[in-house]
Amino acid sequence: MGEVMPLEMRAPENRASSRAVRYWTVRALSGWVVALVVVITVATQAFPHQAAAVIGAAVLVAAVHVVVMPRWRFRVHRWEVTGTAVYTQAGWLRQERRIAPIVRIQTVDTERGPFEQLFGLSKVTITTASAAGPLKIHALDSATAELLALKLTDITSAAGADGT
Amino acid sequence: MNEPGDGSWRRLSPRMLLVHPVIEIGRAIPAIAGVLLAGSGGSGSSLWAAAIALAVAGFGTLRYVTTRYSIGSAQIQLKHGIFRRRELSVPLDRVRTVDVTAHVLHRLLGIARVSIGTGTSDRKEGGDRLVLDGLTAQQATRLRSELLHRPAVPAAEGPATSGARSEPGDEQLVALDPRWLRYAPFTLTGALTGLAVLGVGWRVVSEGHVRLDRVSVLRDVVAWFERWSPLTDVLIGTAGVIAFVALASTAGYLLSFWHFVLSRNDAGSLHVSRGLLTTRATSIERRRLVGVELSEPMLLRWVGGARVLAVATGLRVGRGGERGGEMLLPPAPRAVAIDVAGQVSGRGAGGLQTVLPPHPRAALRRRLVRAELPALAVVAATAVVAGAGGWPGWTVLLAALLPIVAFALAVDRYRSLGHLLVDRALVVGAGSLVRTRTVLDTEAVIGWTLRSSWLQRRAGLVTLIATTAAGRQKYLVSDLAAAEAVGFADAATPGLLSEVLVGESPVQVVAPGARSGRASTS
């Protein structure tokens, strides 16, 4: 069979907003508060003798997640719009790089959830004709996100094809 | 008076007045049966049943009255809805697929249902597919050929055949050979039929409040089973289920695929027609067909059978796939399947039979771990329960078979993994329970995803996903060497990645040996 040159893709250029770490931390914390309430209730009711150990383990996992995940994510999350394509990198334990040609872009949405609004952040979702996997750029500064969405909409409406 | 193309609003065939009520009453049969069974004896219940039937029939009539369509020179429009009016319009140049279906009742009355798909927009169930339920068979056939031959060939005076027959001038690629019926029992569609029968039975029982322990036949069956040991009961039950599934699968194959013909017209559109009682005719425009998939469910593979699916924009593979109409060949001998797939893709057997270069050994390890961990967990759990005296000893022996099966599955899954570029097509192999080999035009690839879990990165592996607007929408090359992935993607879609590649300028690599046609034996 043919040898394929071991090529690599460089990481995309731009990082998420500097407020992203705080945003991911707060979002994870709020999730863990709910989860811990459930764990504490169940543990004290179901196995009162081992309750301390179970709750301790849960708190430890939560603490590690809340401290590690946002920082790890911030190191991974990157995005870039090249002359011809949109290129993103996201995740932490499971990481993903996605690339789609600009001419194939169908829609560009910006979205701000409650926690994102708290930190002035936005998420940009870019869909193509494929139902599988739109590109998502998380935790962008809202102003940057607006500009990006405008720019992409301009380019795609200029391209004009139906994207299939 | 009913000439298409003039843009005037008109109604569907009035014969639908006979179809709608019957279908609606058919749907309501479980409810009606339930009402009748619940109050057997009282005259009130039959009154209720009659009222339901009447309401349902009236509803069907209303549906006919409120539906109008128009076929103009630029678009097809449909207005329908009783409580919520809806208007759908499809520009003619966006039409990608045209299906003509005729159920038994439709066929008796000489009418057909035309379903017009526009590709990406029919993503959701029923989404923006425009359905004209109730054109005469003649109108349906003419409309289909008009939509698909446009603009080169004007509406020819089509022969007055039912919508399911292919037209003269079409090149027939393959037709059903009755001997293929021997593959039918191995398709397992009968299992679904069995579940459906159980479902309907359950609805009648629960809505009719039938006391199962009072049904004498059931009592007799239970008593009969109680005469033997549990093990014998299990064996008898299994044999019964297998026999039922085989029979029902064969019946299903007959119903779905009798009269199956795959043909290609002079414009290059593919045309599939099939069906014993309900006839279906599906057409796929040439430029929408971007690949083929050879699919071999495990049982079918054991007896040397395979089926072929079209990878086309506007035809989504997946749940209820067979109904989606993308089936290009029902379960048939593997050689026939490869021949048909090759003719359709225009690439011959290239890529379909090729032995794909193996993925790294680490991919095999991942499959073994993922298969064996749950299997061993089940064995351990069974041993614990049996040790505590909960279950008899033979259950542990039975559970011990699991890791062996898991091992075989994992190895087989690894052996079907593979990827290659052949003749500007992406070839992807995957799966064991359903082994698939997909050949997809690289032009149809509209993006790449590289995905890696923490364990994959440690093993130097990555999953490369080609996204496309056709078929399954994404095609996964699982667990290939991380060092190879980017080069492969770049060779498949030159230019797309060039701005983000590092190192020396990308070298265009063509894989030789791709045309070798040795049969895959895995």
Side-chain angles (χ1 to χ4, degrees):
Chain A
M1 59 155 292
E3 274 303 307
V4 183
M5 290 287 291
L7 287 170
E8 252 310 310
M9 278 159 91
R10 64 175 168 76
E13 243 167 29
N14 313 298
R15 284 183 187 279
S17 158
S18 53
R19 297 186 296 279
V21 174
R22 271 178 285 161
Y23 155 66
W24 281 318
T25 309
V26 169
R27 212 183 53 172
L29 263 178
S30 72
W32 276 113
V33 166
V34 177
L36 285 179
V37 166
V38 172
V39 168
I40 290 169
T41 328
V42 171
T44 46
Q45 302 290 320
F47 9 81
H49 298 296
Q50 297 93 337
V54 171
I55 293 167
V59 169
L60 192 70
V61 171
V64 170
H65 180 253
V66 165
V67 171
V68 171
M69 181 277 286
R71 284 160 187 81
W72 196 340
R73 268 195 191 282
F74 186 71
R75 289 168 62 117
V76 174
H77 277 245
R78 283 163 172 271
W79 62 277
E80 182 177 344
V81 178
T82 73
T84 54
V86 182
Y87 178 30
T88 64
Q89 174 175 298
W92 57 299
L93 278 173
R94 169 189 276 206
Q95 299 178 4
E96 257 186 14
R97 280 180 171 174
R98 289 179 181 227
I99 188 162
I102 283 176
V103 289
R104 304 291 199 179
I105 293 176
Q106 286 195 326
T107 65
V108 182
D109 298 340
T110 53
E111 194 184 313
R112 308 172 69 191
F115 289 112
E116 284 161 314
Q117 288 182 31
L118 206 62
F119 292 96
L121 300 174
S122 294
K123 177 174 82 181
V124 178
T125 306
I126 299 150
T127 63
T128 64
S130 170
L135 282 79
K136 289 180 180 168
I137 309 176
H138 297 269
L140 275 187
D141 181 77
S142 285
T144 317
E146 289 300 323
L147 277 177
L148 174 65
L150 265 178
K151 181 180 166 191
L152 286 177
T153 325
D154 274 3
I155 302 176
T156 41
S157 57
D162 74 342
T164 57
Chain B
M1 57 181 242
N2 264 352
E3 281 311 306
D6 58 359
S8 63
W9 287 98
R10 53 178 165 258
R11 292 213 165 101
L12 298 167
S13 164
R15 295 176 213 168
M16 283 308 285
L17 277 172
L18 293 172
V19 175
H20 275 315
V22 173
I23 288 177
E24 300 285 350
I25 287 175
R27 277 197 198 133
I29 274 179
I32 294 172
V35 168
L36 284 176
L37 282 170
S40 40
S43 62
S45 65
S46 44
L47 270 178
W48 269 113
I52 293 177
L54 252 180
V56 159
F59 200 71
T61 314
L62 262 179
R63 229 165 70 173
Y64 168 77
V65 174
T66 51
T67 304
R68 281 159 196 267
Y69 73 99
S70 95
I71 301 167
S73 52
Q75 60 180 0
I76 301 180
Q77 284 174 288
L78 175 71
K79 288 185 189 173
H80 67 128
I82 298 166
F83 300 112
R84 181 193 302 193
R85 296 291 292 164
R86 289 180 145 207
E87 276 195 54
L88 270 175
S89 67
V90 173
L92 292 186
D93 57 1
R94 283 292 172 102
V95 172
R96 290 169 192 192
T97 60
V98 180
D99 298 357
V100 179
T101 317
H103 296 286
V104 181
L105 209 52
H106 282 73
R107 286 182 68 193
L108 285 176
L109 297 166
I111 53 180
R113 186 168 82 169
V114 179
S115 169
I116 296 159
T118 57
T120 50
S121 51
D122 53 343
R123 208 163 272 166
K124 282 169 291 181
E125 182 78 28
D128 279 343
R129 271 186 98 80
L130 193 149
V131 179
L132 301 176
D133 191 357
L135 299 181
T136 64
Q138 233 170 320
Q139 281 176 321
T141 316
R142 197 186 310 163
L143 179 59
R144 191 195 63 225
S145 61
E146 261 182 27
L147 289 173
L148 295 169
H149 283 260
R150 171 187 42 79
V153 185
E157 277 306 309
T161 53
S162 89
R165 301 283 176 269
S166 62
E167 291 146 54
D170 288 3
E171 170 202 6
Q172 180 176 310
L173 297 181
V174 65
L176 184 89
D177 182 335
R179 283 173 298 174
W180 298 352
L181 261 178
R182 67 178 187 271
Y183 295 107
F186 303 94
T187 56
L188 290 189
T189 47
L192 293 180
T193 317
L195 288 177
V197 168
L198 279 183
V200 169
W202 174 248
R203 242 179 105 181
V204 170
V205 166
S206 63
E207 286 185 31
H209 306 290
V210 178
R211 297 280 303 272
L212 282 181
D213 51 354
R214 296 226 185 120
V215 180
S216 61
V217 183
L218 277 180
R219 266 208 314 258
D220 292 347
V221 169
V222 170
W224 187 75
F225 265 108
E226 277 169 355
R227 277 190 279 164
W228 281 286
S229 72
L231 193 59
T232 324
D233 281 348
V234 168
L235 288 179
I236 294 173
T238 313
V241 167
I242 289 176
F244 174 83
V245 167
L247 273 175
S249 299
T250 310
Y253 191 101
L254 265 175
L255 285 172
S256 297
F257 301 122
W258 201 247
H259 293 317
F260 167 85
V261 174
L262 171 67
S263 55
R264 182 156 51 189
N265 71 12
D266 44 9
S269 295
L270 287 178
H271 186 68
V272 182
S273 63
R274 59 187 174 88
L276 180 62
L277 298 177
T278 295
T279 58
R280 294 172 205 281
T282 308
S283 297
I284 308 166
E285 220 191 341
R286 172 173 178 66
R287 61 194 164 113
R288 299 304 164 198
L289 186 82
V290 295
V292 288
E293 180 178 314
L294 186 72
S295 161
E296 300 165 277
M298 185 175 268
L299 282 179
L300 204 55
R301 181 151 46 113
W302 284 347
V303 294
R307 47 185 194 178
V308 180
L309 311 179
V311 179
T313 47
L315 282 180
R316 248 155 85 72
V317 180
R319 198 165 50 88
E322 284 183 24
R323 291 191 202 152
E326 79 293 333
M327 179 78 79
L328 289 185
L329 184 72
R334 194 169 189 275
V336 176
I338 286 172
D339 177 55
V340 167
Q343 285 193 60
V344 167
S345 75
R347 291 191 176 83
L352 292 165
Q353 284 189 302
T354 320
V355 179
L356 302 177
H359 280 196
R361 299 295 282 182
L364 175 60
R365 272 200 300 280
R366 275 173 63 76
R367 266 145 201 79
L368 284 172
V369 169
R370 272 191 288 185
E372 292 297 349
L373 279 184
L376 292 175
V378 170
V379 173
T382 315
V384 168
V385 176
W391 288 341
W394 56 265
T395 55
V396 182
L397 282 180
L398 205 63
L401 289 177
L402 262 182
I404 300 169
V405 174
F407 181 84
L409 266 179
V411 171
D412 191 48
R413 265 160 56 77
Y414 171 71
R415 282 159 58 107
S416 29
L417 277 187
H419 63 280
L420 201 66
L421 284 180
V422 176
D423 197 7
R424 279 181 297 134
L426 177 67
V427 179
V428 181
S432 175
L433 291 175
V434 179
R435 188 172 73 183
T436 58
R437 182 68 72 89
T438 310
V439 179
L440 176 71
D441 293 357
T442 51
E443 271 175 28
V445 175
I446 60 170
W448 294 100
T449 300
L450 280 160
R451 192 168 72 193
S452 59
S453 69
W454 185 69
L455 287 171
Q456 271 179 309
R457 287 196 294 279
R458 280 178 49 109
L461 298 175
V462 66
T463 295
L464 178 69
I465 304 165
T467 56
T468 171
R472 297 181 195 279
Q473 310 286 304
K474 60 178 173 183
Y475 290 88
L476 271 71
V477 183
S478 294
D479 287 337
L480 75 160
E484 192 199 344
V486 175
F488 179 73
D490 183 54
T493 55
L496 172 53
L497 303 174
S498 54
E499 286 190 66
V500 300
L501 292 173
V502 281
E504 61 274 50
S505 65
V507 180
Q508 184 47 90
V509 184
V510 182
R515 250 162 237 107
S516 75
R518 199 156 69 81
S520 157
T521 51
S522 54

